[in-house]
């Protein structure tokens, strides 16, 4: 599956990222995953490489000279437009401004002191609303979800929320409450990015939830496995897509394997309802029946987004060339 940053490398990028252009830059180092820092393009090098200069990361103690680094095009995106409305609802993806950058997290709810709780993969922290923004991904030259054109009258529709609740005018949003059917992303080595079906059991302090898995069992083999996970690892069950008579070459799919859904790309159509699926994380291929596959969808800011085929084509092509 294409990562959020990788998916940003589109054919339009060379015309967008010109010297002097203001951008946001991701850093591919441990401890910086999911963060974006503002800067500008200094110059373009050969291939997909650019020299950038950070606004807030300095190389001198006086803070007069920004750090310059060479980055790949996949680490760049334009400055996101400002949202007129910041209608934060529990479970929505948000960016929190921290340590001079924007860090991706999950909104958990408002607190009595006027701040809001945000969950990250390994921690949680409270922020004032003016240091939060709705999370958007830059995919194939477009923002996902798109930035809506909203007028001032819509600001009145904003609804305050409490932790682990979703309150809207039509009351149809996904709710984090006991009994909700969800999928849980594993954090274990070798299982990262795999989604397992589960049910929410009860909330815990620190933006966590106890979940009970459908297919995973305890070590005693007598009852379903229960585990405490971060809110960041939880998403609703994906809706069923239109019935697919046959998956196509380069379709991005989820393959059901070892009790979970693994993200891959159809690399060969065998016939007789059989397919070869390529998994980028392990650089392996496996054969699956049609019934073991589903079209891949991403849960982005309270809505399901269908994966882009051109992203899959780009990733698989590069993988096969290596």
């Amino acid at each position: 599956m294409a990562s959020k940053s990788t998916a940003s490398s589109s054919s339009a990028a060379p015309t967008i990222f010109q010297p002097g252009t203001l951008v946001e830059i991701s850093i591919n180092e441990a401890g910086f995953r999911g963060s974006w820092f503002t800067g500008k393009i200094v110059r373009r090098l050969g291939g997909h490489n650019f020299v950038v200069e950070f606004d807030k990361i300095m190389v001198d103690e006086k803070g007069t000279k920004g750090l310059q680094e060479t980055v790949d095009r996949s680490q760049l995106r334009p400055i996101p437009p400002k949202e007129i409305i910041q209608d934060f609802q529990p479970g929505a993806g948000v960016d929190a401004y921290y340590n001079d950058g924007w860090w991706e997290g999950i909104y958990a709810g408002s607190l009595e002191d006027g701040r809001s709780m945000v969950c990250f993969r390994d921690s949680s922290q409270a922020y004032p609303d003016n240091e939060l923004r709705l999370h958007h991904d830059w995919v194939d030259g477009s923002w996902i979800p798109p930035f809506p054109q909203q007028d001032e009258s819509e600001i009145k529709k904003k609804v305050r929320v409490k932790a682990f609740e979703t309150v809207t005018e039509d009351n149809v949003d996904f709710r984090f409450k006991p009994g909700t059917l969800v999928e849980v992303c594993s954090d274990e080595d070798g299982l990262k990015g795999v989604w397992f079906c589960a049910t929410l059991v009860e909330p815990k302090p620190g933006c966590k939830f106890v979940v009970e898995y459908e297919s995973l069992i305890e070590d005693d083999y007598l009852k379903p496995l229960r585990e405490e996970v971060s809110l960041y690892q939880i998403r609703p069950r994906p809706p069923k897509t239109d019935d697919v008579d046959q998956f196509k070459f380069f379709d991005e799919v989820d393959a059901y394997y070892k009790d979970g859904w693994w993200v891959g790309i159809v690399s060969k159509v065998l016939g007789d309802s059989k397919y070869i699926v390529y998994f980028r994380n392990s650089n392996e291929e496996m054969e699956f029946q049609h019934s073991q596959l589903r079209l891949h969808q991403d849960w982005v800011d309270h809505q399901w987004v269908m994966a882009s085929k051109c992203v899959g084509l780009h990733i698989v092509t590069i993988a096969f060339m290596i």
Side-chain angles (χ1 to χ4, degrees):
M1 170 185 173
S3 69
K4 293 174 182 175
S5 59
T6 304
S8 65
S9 16
S10 67
S11 59
T15 59
I16 294 174
F17 302 127
Q18 298 293 334
T21 301
L22 299 180
V23 294
E24 287 191 343
I25 309 154
S26 66
I27 301 176
N28 289 336
E29 294 180 10
F32 288 91
R33 306 293 183 186
S35 63
W36 292 88
F37 295 82
T38 56
K40 65 180 180 182
I41 304 292
V42 177
R43 63 182 178 275
R44 184 182 181 187
L45 303 176
H48 293 173
N49 294 325
F50 294 79
V51 175
V52 298
E53 183 175 309
F54 292 89
D55 286 340
K56 303 292 185 180
I57 304 178
M58 302 295 172
V59 294
D60 60 333
E61 294 182 357
K62 295 182 179 180
T64 59
K65 184 174 179 56
L67 172 67
Q68 291 192 1
E69 280 195 349
T70 299
V71 299
D72 185 81
R73 190 173 68 191
S74 63
Q75 297 172 249
L76 301 175
R77 68 181 187 185
I79 301 293
K82 288 186 177 180
E83 291 272 15
I84 297 176
I85 300 176
Q86 292 183 316
D87 188 7
F88 306 123
Q89 297 178 1
V94 294
D95 297 330
Y97 193 75
Y98 175 72
N99 277 354
D100 299 323
W102 291 97
W103 300 73
E104 181 182 353
I106 299 294
Y107 183 79
S110 59
L111 304 175
E112 293 182 356
D113 62 3
R115 296 183 300 165
S116 296
M117 184 64 68
V118 177
C119 298
F120 303 99
R121 187 165 296 278
D122 299 315
S123 64
S124 59
Q125 190 168 331
Y127 294 88
D129 281 357
N130 62 3
E131 293 182 1
L132 299 179
R133 68 185 187 188
L134 289 173
H135 178 74
H136 293 260
D137 291 312
W138 180 248
V139 179
D140 293 338
S142 301
W143 290 105
I144 304 295
F147 283 83
Q149 299 297 320
Q150 298 168 314
D151 55 42
E152 292 183 0
S153 64
E154 289 184 306
I155 297 177
K156 298 178 182 178
K157 297 180 182 178
K158 182 175 179 180
V159 181
R160 297 300 298 173
V161 293
K162 296 179 181 180
F164 298 112
E165 294 180 359
T166 298
V167 182
T168 61
E169 292 180 345
D170 53 12
N171 201 31
V172 296
D173 284 311
F174 173 60
R175 296 169 179 266
F176 289 106
K177 64 179 182 180
T180 301
L181 300 179
V182 295
E183 289 188 347
V184 180
C185 184
S186 176
D187 252 354
E188 297 182 15
D189 289 339
L191 295 176
K192 290 183 179 179
V194 184
W195 292 91
F196 296 92
C197 294
T199 301
L200 297 184
V201 177
E202 61 175 330
K204 291 290 185 178
C207 296
K208 294 182 181 295
F209 244 103
V210 174
V211 300
E212 181 175 287
Y213 293 98
E214 285 188 2
S215 301
L216 305 180
I217 57 176
E218 297 280 5
D219 292 338
D220 58 11
Y221 298 100
L222 297 177
K223 55 187 176 181
L225 172 66
R226 287 194 174 190
E227 187 178 35
E228 188 174 294
V229 299
S230 167
L231 184 64
Y232 195 93
Q233 299 170 249
I234 300 171
R235 71 180 187 184
R237 298 280 179 92
K240 290 185 178 180
T241 57
D242 294 336
D243 290 337
V244 178
D245 294 331
Q246 182 175 336
F247 294 102
K248 300 179 181 62
F249 190 41
F250 288 133
D251 272 350
E252 191 165 15
V253 295
D254 297 332
Y256 195 75
Y257 176 67
K258 290 187 176 180
D259 301 317
W261 291 99
W262 302 63
V263 184
I265 297 170
V266 175
S267 58
K268 186 179 296 185
V269 178
L270 299 177
D272 295 327
S273 298
K274 295 181 181 179
Y275 307 87
I276 299 296
V277 176
Y278 168 75
F279 300 99
R280 178 171 176 253
N281 288 342
S282 60
N283 196 27
E284 294 178 338
E285 290 185 314
M286 290 183 60
E287 181 179 316
F288 290 90
Q289 295 280 350
H290 186 281
S291 60
Q292 296 173 289
L293 303 178
R294 68 184 185 188
L295 288 174
H296 177 72
Q297 301 175 81
D298 288 309
W299 178 244
V300 181
D301 195 26
H302 263 242
Q303 61 182 307
W304 288 102
V305 178
M306 190 67 71
S308 170
K309 266 188 199 180
C310 61
V311 173
L313 172 62
H314 174 72
I315 295 301
V316 173
T317 302
I318 290 177
F320 286 170
M321 291 174 60
I322 295 176

